[in-house]
Amino acid sequence: MKHSLFLFDLDDTLLDFRASEQLSFDRTMEALGLAGEVEGLFQQYQAINLALWRAFEAGSVSKEVLKVERFRRTFADNGLDLDPEAASRLYLESLSETVVLVDGAQRLCAELSAIGEIGIITNGVHHIQHRRIASSGLGEHIAFVATSEACGHAKPDSRFFEYTTGMARRFARHETIIVGDRLDADILGANRFGIDSCWFNPGRLANDTQALPSVEVASLHEVVPALRALAAD
């Protein structure tokens, strides 16, 4: 295998964020005393949250605003008299307690950490991501965690990857690869920075973007064989 520095996206690559998100949202609404489910509330929240994250990655909204605004808009759109700041606090606290591993994550990290160095690259909230990694049991395999919050720039900005690779013990472009589920952040970021990328695509989605992964896998169990094949090309 030619790679010795493995940069992993966290959410929906190593950790099943969708499962954690649903659990944390449900817990938050229950703690706020929301009696019964407002139909489609979680789905509305997801759409608002996604739009705000895209705005954050484009640099048009701060993370501090995002964390509360997603709940403020959700509550306002549904006529709910709930405190968005309290919702944000409860939700973030719950995220670190509702960690779900993607199938194969533990084995993959153990195998790659024996070969080289694993770093986490994430646009998520800095202290929450560290707590989630600790809860996941993956921490022993991870050498460092790079967050956009600490860096000041978000994926796919090349400055984020300059910051990230500066945390590694050793960095060589031809020996570095990003593994992530998002074409617009992880794979495009790798393209711009001039390093290899592995698109984790469990839904087998079509790639209709300008991002070009070096290799594509549908399961974390396929990553090591794919990287070996890439090195042999």
Side-chain angles (χ1 to χ4, degrees):
M1 186 179 296
K2 72 173 184 176
H3 300 103
S4 59
L5 178 57
F6 309 96
L7 303 178
F8 275 88
D9 172 54
L10 189 62
D11 292 319
D12 292 323
T13 300
L14 293 177
L15 303 185
D16 187 341
F17 181 73
R18 296 178 187 182
S20 296
E21 182 183 34
Q22 175 79 72
L23 288 168
S24 297
F25 186 86
D26 291 347
R27 284 189 183 185
T28 298
M29 295 305 103
E30 183 178 354
L32 290 175
L34 186 61
E37 181 182 348
V38 177
E39 186 174 355
L41 186 64
F42 177 63
Q43 288 71 26
Q44 291 176 51
Y45 164 82
Q46 282 185 306
I48 290 168
N49 186 42
L50 179 61
L52 284 167
W53 275 107
R54 295 292 186 266
F56 165 73
E57 289 164 2
S60 59
V61 67
S62 72
K63 192 172 293 182
E64 288 306 308
V65 168
L66 177 156
K67 288 187 287 188
V68 176
E69 182 66 12
R70 55 191 176 183
F71 288 101
R72 189 195 67 77
R73 293 186 188 181
T74 301
F75 297 158
D77 288 351
N78 289 274
L80 296 172
D81 185 20
L82 297 174
D83 183 351
E85 292 190 358
S88 177
R89 183 179 66 256
L90 289 165
Y91 174 78
L92 291 174
E93 289 173 356
S94 181
L95 271 181
S96 62
E97 301 169 356
T98 56
V99 173
V100 179
L101 285 172
V102 171
D103 182 46
Q106 185 72 248
R107 179 180 176 181
L108 176 60
C109 287
E111 188 167 355
L112 292 182
S113 66
I115 295 171
E117 187 176 24
I118 295 178
I120 297 297
I121 53 172
T122 174
N123 283 346
V125 179
H126 182 83
H127 73 283
I128 297 299
Q129 297 298 61
H130 278 272
R131 286 169 58 186
R132 295 177 71 228
I133 290 168
S135 297
S136 73
L138 298 178
E140 64 179 304
H141 306 302
I142 294 168
F144 62 88
V145 179
T147 67
S148 59
E149 194 169 330
C151 170
H153 303 284
K155 297 184 290 182
D157 194 312
S158 289
R159 289 171 292 185
F160 175 81
F161 296 103
E162 290 173 1
Y163 167 81
T164 296
T165 53
M167 299 176 73
R169 291 192 299 266
R170 178 180 175 276
F171 166 61
R173 288 184 194 275
H174 69 285
E175 295 177 356
T176 302
I177 189 163
I178 288 174
V179 182
D181 69 301
R182 286 187 52 194
L183 289 166
D184 59 345
D186 305 311
I187 308 307
L188 183 59
N191 293 165
R192 290 177 176 176
F193 196 57
I195 58 179
D196 287 337
S197 60
C198 174
W199 182 27
F200 177 53
N201 182 21
R204 301 184 186 276
L205 305 175
N207 181 0
D208 56 1
T209 75
Q210 294 182 334
L212 298 173
S214 307
V215 67
E216 178 181 336
V217 298
S219 163
L220 292 184
H221 297 286
E222 300 172 14
V223 171
V224 170
L227 298 191
R228 287 178 177 153
L230 186 61
D233 288 344

